[in-house]
Amino acid sequence: MANTTDAAEQRAEERRGASSVQSVDRAVSVLESLARLGEAGVTELADELGVHKSTAFRILGVLENRGLVEQERERGKYFLGAGVLRLAGAAAIRLDISQEGQPVCRALADGTGETANIAVLDGDAAVNIMQARGSAAVTAHNWLGRRTPLHATASGKVLLAHLPRERREALLGRKLPRFTGDTLTAPAAVREQLAAAREDGFACTTEEFETGLNAVAAPVHSYDGTVIGAIGVSGPAYRMAREHLPELAKAAVKAAAELSRRMGYGG
């Protein structure tokens, strides 16, 4: 009897999942149609989707609530909303920092001899979107595409330090995992380092994410002053010893200033 009930529940769950996927597909189709047509009414969009007007109206209502479409009240036509521009802008920023950052990242790696990385915020982690290896970094890790913790990496601390206070505190309010004996997991201690990162213009980590690995990073600014990424170098602690980190931080700050300039920042 239990197996029969479980099978029925599984089939019901699969039907709900299929319905959800279909709804998402239709919502994306609406956005694509509006991108192509410029504007359209409910009837026209229903015909495009091959659905009843009531279904098209429900989809448009959800998209309108999320700011992805807007309605011209007098004529009832729908068009793409500011929410789409916001999403497109976020994607464009990531693309731009990758394109503009390539020569800067390469120059930082060549100048320091260590592995240089550019990272951006990805939810509750930093993700490395570009990497260049210096002459001394022949056995360095491949960080490209890897999500790393905000509280235990130099790039992560930079990104975390420049988040709005409410979001930063929400992230610090979670349990901070320990990766090595040197990982800071007490929120008060992390806050102290984040305040120093904002004041100094860079952040450092010494064996906090991996034993034997040190790093420095500095913030990259967009044209409006928003911190959109971090650029820095990482390497083995025996080469990047604590006493050498301030000098490497200067190189990271200089690279960050150059990349920020390329991103339109004039500060």
Side-chain angles (χ1 to χ4, degrees):
M1 182 68 176
N3 289 339
T4 302
T5 302
D6 290 344
E9 290 179 352
Q10 183 177 353
R11 287 194 297 271
E13 181 65 29
E14 288 173 351
R15 286 194 295 273
R16 287 192 294 270
S19 177
S20 297
V21 170
Q22 185 183 50
S23 296
V24 172
D25 182 70
R26 286 173 173 173
V28 173
S29 295
V30 167
L31 296 176
E32 290 176 339
S33 294
L34 290 176
R36 186 179 73 255
L37 299 171
E39 62 178 18
V42 176
T43 301
E44 187 176 4
L45 289 169
D47 290 342
E48 286 266 330
L49 294 176
V51 299
H52 193 272
K53 282 177 59 176
S54 61
T55 301
F57 188 77
R58 285 196 300 270
I59 294 170
L60 287 164
V62 172
L63 293 174
E64 188 174 15
N65 287 337
R66 300 302 294 266
L68 297 174
V69 303
E70 297 178 23
Q71 186 180 26
E72 207 286 321
R73 297 301 174 188
E74 292 184 4
R75 296 184 300 139
K77 297 281 189 177
Y78 288 88
F79 55 93
L80 293 179
V84 173
L85 297 177
R86 183 179 66 251
L87 295 175
I93 285 175
R94 182 171 291 200
L95 179 62
D96 287 347
I97 196 173
S98 296
Q99 293 174 340
E100 297 295 339
Q102 186 172 5
V104 181
C105 192
R106 178 73 265 164
L108 180 60
D110 290 343
T112 61
E114 302 296 347
T115 299
N117 287 283
I118 297 174
V120 297
L121 189 68
D122 184 23
D124 60 353
V127 63
N128 293 281
I129 61 172
M130 181 161 294
Q131 175 174 292
R133 293 183 180 181
S135 57
V138 291
T139 59
H141 291 289
N142 180 13
W143 298 102
L144 198 59
R146 185 173 174 183
R147 297 177 84 251
T148 55
L150 297 176
H151 70 290
T153 59
S155 294
K157 287 180 184 178
V158 166
L159 297 169
L160 185 57
H162 292 278
L163 283 177
R165 184 179 183 278
E166 185 176 346
R167 188 176 179 194
R168 184 171 66 245
E169 286 301 314
L171 291 171
L172 290 176
R174 302 177 181 181
K175 180 177 175 60
L176 301 177
R178 180 178 297 279
F179 299 97
T180 74
D182 293 309
T183 306
L184 296 179
T185 58
V190 177
R191 286 190 192 96
E192 187 175 337
Q193 286 207 343
L194 299 182
R198 289 191 295 272
E199 182 176 348
D200 298 338
F202 64 89
C204 301
T205 52
T206 52
E207 303 188 72
E208 295 170 44
F209 183 43
E210 290 188 7
T211 300
L213 181 72
N214 290 350
V216 298
V220 177
H221 297 266
S222 181
Y223 68 94
D224 61 357
T226 304
V227 172
I228 56 172
I231 184 170
V233 293
S234 59
Y238 69 83
R239 281 201 311 262
M240 288 183 57
R242 288 176 184 269
E243 59 268 26
H244 299 320
L245 294 184
E247 193 64 31
L248 290 166
K250 290 180 182 178
V253 169
K254 184 178 178 180
E258 170 60 18
L259 183 49
S260 297
R261 184 192 66 77
R262 287 171 172 260
M263 298 299 296
Y265 179 60

